[in-house]
Amino acid sequence: MTHSTPAPAETEALGTSPTASSPARRRPSRVHRQRLRAAWLFLIPMLLVLAAVAGWPLLRTIWFSFTDASFASISEYNWVGLENYLVYDDGMWFGVLADPAWWQSVWNTLFFTVVSVGLETVLGLIIALTLNAQFRGRGLIRAATLIPWAVPTIVSAKMWGWMLHDQFGIINDLLMTLGIIAEPLNWTANADLSMWAVIMVDVWKTTPFMALLTLAALQMLPSDCYEAAKVDGIHPVKVFFRVTLPLITPALMVAIIFRVLDALRVFDVIYVLTSNSEDTMSMSVYARQQLVQFQDVGYGSAASTVLFLIIALATITYLYLGRKQIGGEA
Amino acid sequence: MNSRLLKRIAGKIGFTILLVAILLFTVFPFYYAILTSFKSGSELFTVEYWISSVDFANYAAVLGQGSFVKSIWNSVLVSFATVLIAMGFGLTAAYALGRVQFRGRSAVLMIVLAVSMFPQVAVLSGLFEVIRAMNLYNDPLALIFSYTIFTLPFTVWILTTFMRQLPKELEEAAIVDGASPLTTLFKVFVPLMWPAMATTGLLAFIAAWNEFLFALTFTLTDDQRTVPVAIALITGGSQHELPWGNLMAASVIVTVPLVVLVLIFQRRIVSGLTAGAVKG
């Protein structure tokens, strides 16, 4: 997939281009110096903004995680060391890492991530394969798949909250009409069902993203190997698993990793659909509850920092694999 | 009838069922929100599958609330300003990253990518302190500032991808003429970048319009909120008395403009999403 756009090293840039003929050698270097200066002048504002809005706040969050700062008086705090993370006091362990609710939220987040990204990948693949076929009204279906993506997460959570309503919801009505369930289910409050309700909403909302990225990958496949397979009379299912799937795997992996990193920081859909219920609480919901609702900036920052470390680890793994992949192709 | 024909007909039917299933899956929830928004009173409590009556009472009720209208304005202001800021910083940075080869370029690209992976919660307390220090707490300006954390990285990323694809002959003429880099950027590249800028701007607009966590945390009073927060906080007497009709009307109001935009620009959006994700 990455060969569609040049990797950074392959890009030709003016001034350093080795094709510059020797008589003109001196001029490009002056131009090049001017361009270099301009490049940094152009980059510095952006880097400063990122530092102000991301770098500095992140450092402060990590700093706060070693203090007892509170939301109301964020400027008055004492250094408490690792107390917010883990502390042994009076025969008991305290801190984020000793809180069963935190570990529950870690488990919830991982479960949510694996199940919803898995379902989105499979459904996205099915939709992409369908849209890749030639049929009348294809444009219409492709437009329709974009609708869930455009709906704000909050709105989709509310819409589904209404559809999943225990008394007046259309899903209970439908399932009862079809005879699948006898009693209406309380989807968002029942401990066994609420996580599945969250996953349902997320799958609805983000499958289009997966479908579109998969479709883009499918449309770049060379058609000649399909013709060869057709001539040889190989079964389409076999062609899919032997040819299509291996060829789109790199693109699929990139899309999956994007979704995984997104799912690990999930907040909106869970907060709106099931509020602060422990059965569905994600790491982000846990951290924000400590920070804002319980006003405990120190403790909440410790939870945020652990979440950051988890995502940083996932990102580094991704970058490492991505670089290896680009390196392999070059 | 021979078995091959039968098989083809079965295949056709199966495919049609698949198409209908996809269409129902993607469109039905939004359709049902529209249907609900036209119902009022006790009609809400009978499940219907077709729109039977059209009653705009819920829309009137929602738009009659000053605070909801104010929150729409806040959202519009915040989203447009976020797009403008992301464009301004993003275009210049993308020019440097896409057209000039210099040492440290891949490091800058890595920083940009890393910031786009930041969990928003991880910067929440630090950002809260910064916003308090700037005296912007409970002010939509705080949101414009904080939204650059996610709009700027992907704007830079996508614009860099597009900028790289332009032929270098374009620039050569400008350099021979002695044009400064800023002139080159705005006179040569920006006119060619309109499609890419429209795509990126649209994605940034949608991201800002839909953002929830910062908006929930950095605003306090009803007339400073953006629409996602306003909708999330619509409450009735209790959990079981939520005014669903109003809620769905409000949801439709904030979603219809987005859906229309997305349907008009669907090709651009798809190309933007793939440019952002495929370039790994």
Side-chain angles (χ1 to χ4, degrees), chain A residues 2-318:
Chain A
T2 35
H3 57 244
S4 60
T5 41
E10 297 162 27
T11 318
E12 290 177 75
L14 287 164
T16 52
S17 165
T19 53
S21 50
S22 41
R25 248 196 104 67
R26 196 156 297 162
R27 225 176 45 131
S29 81
R30 186 180 57 81
V31 171
H32 182 58
R33 253 185 291 130
Q34 192 199 351
R35 288 170 62 80
L36 266 185
R37 213 175 34 239
W40 283 108
L41 273 177
F42 282 176
L43 282 175
I44 283 167
M46 188 242 348
L47 290 172
L48 283 179
V49 170
L50 286 186
V53 81
W56 173 252
L58 177 71
L59 292 178
R60 288 301 287 174
T61 299
I62 296 171
W63 168 265
F64 280 135
S65 74
F66 299 111
T67 70
D68 62 356
S70 82
F71 206 67
S73 58
I74 202 162
S75 46
E76 293 161 37
Y77 48 79
N78 301 303
W79 179 266
V80 297
L82 289 171
E83 225 165 79
N84 290 318
Y85 291 93
L86 196 61
V87 67
Y88 190 73
D89 189 29
D90 234 7
M92 292 265 279
W93 289 98
F94 295 96
V96 174
L97 298 177
D99 183 0
W102 164 254
W103 289 110
Q104 176 70 36
S105 77
V106 172
W107 165 249
N108 288 341
T109 312
L110 292 180
F111 182 80
F112 167 82
T113 303
V114 170
V115 175
S116 58
V117 176
L119 286 173
E120 283 153 27
T121 310
V122 174
L123 286 176
L125 196 56
I126 292 173
I127 294 179
L129 286 169
T130 313
L131 287 176
N132 200 32
Q134 295 290 339
F135 59 90
R136 271 218 323 226
R138 189 167 79 150
L140 185 83
I141 307 256
R142 195 173 62 182
T145 52
L146 271 170
I147 290 177
W149 180 80
V151 173
T153 312
I154 302 312
V155 169
S156 65
K158 284 290 182 195
M159 268 165 36
W160 280 86
W162 172 235
M163 286 173 43
L164 293 167
H165 195 277
D166 54 341
Q167 285 166 288
F168 317 115
I170 191 167
I171 294 198
N172 278 338
D173 183 76
L174 193 66
L175 292 178
M176 277 160 70
T177 312
L178 294 175
I180 296 171
I181 54 171
E183 296 271 299
L185 298 172
N186 196 345
W187 290 92
T188 53
N190 183 325
D192 298 325
L193 290 173
S194 50
M195 183 47 97
W196 289 102
V198 168
I199 289 171
M200 220 186 297
V201 182
D202 192 71
V203 166
W204 180 75
K205 168 100 178 86
T206 39
T207 297
F209 175 81
M210 290 301 270
L212 291 173
L213 290 190
T214 314
L215 181 61
L218 284 175
Q219 285 173 342
M220 270 187 244
L221 293 183
S223 58
D224 44 356
C225 45
Y226 289 97
E227 278 150 24
K230 210 169 183 179
V231 169
D232 293 348
I234 298 168
H235 195 270
V237 174
K238 200 170 173 186
V239 174
F240 172 75
F241 282 104
R242 290 286 173 82
V243 181
T244 312
L245 204 55
L247 281 174
I248 61 167
T249 298
L252 214 52
M253 280 316 290
V254 172
I256 289 173
I257 286 159
F258 262 72
R259 278 297 308 140
V260 164
L261 292 176
D262 224 27
L264 286 175
R265 52 189 173 186
V266 59
F267 175 80
D268 309 14
V269 58
I270 292 176
Y271 182 85
V272 172
L273 200 64
T274 59
S275 63
N276 286 330
S277 150
E278 266 197 26
D279 304 316
T280 53
M281 185 179 281
S282 69
M283 291 188 277
S284 288
V285 176
Y286 177 93
R288 188 188 179 274
Q289 187 186 35
Q290 300 291 339
L291 275 173
V292 181
Q293 200 180 329
F294 301 158
Q295 306 265 311
D296 196 341
V297 170
Y299 190 89
S301 296
S304 305
T305 305
V306 178
L307 168 60
F308 175 77
L309 290 177
I310 292 173
I311 291 186
L313 206 69
T315 309
I316 290 167
T317 315
Y318 160 59

Side-chain angles (χ1 to χ4, degrees), chain B residues 6-85:
Chain B
L6 213 66
K7 221 172 151 183
R8 256 187 62 188
I9 292 173
K12 266 245 158 81
I13 292 173
F15 192 71
T16 312
I17 291 174
L18 189 64
L19 288 183
V20 172
I22 292 174
L23 205 59
L24 271 182
F25 172 71
T26 52
V27 177
F28 186 79
F30 190 52
Y31 160 80
Y32 193 63
I34 297 174
L35 183 151
T36 306
S37 71
F38 289 142
K39 290 172 152 193
S40 55
S42 59
E43 281 173 12
L44 278 170
F45 306 123
T46 49
V47 174
E48 279 172 357
Y49 292 81
W50 307 104
I51 296 177
S52 56
S53 62
V54 175
D55 182 347
F56 287 96
N58 290 316
Y59 290 89
V62 168
L63 292 173
Q65 282 171 14
S67 66
F68 188 75
V69 178
K70 183 78 202 313
S71 65
I72 293 178
W73 278 118
N74 289 336
S75 272
V76 170
L77 170 84
V78 168
S79 308
F80 272 111
T82 305
V83 170
L84 281 181
I85 290 173

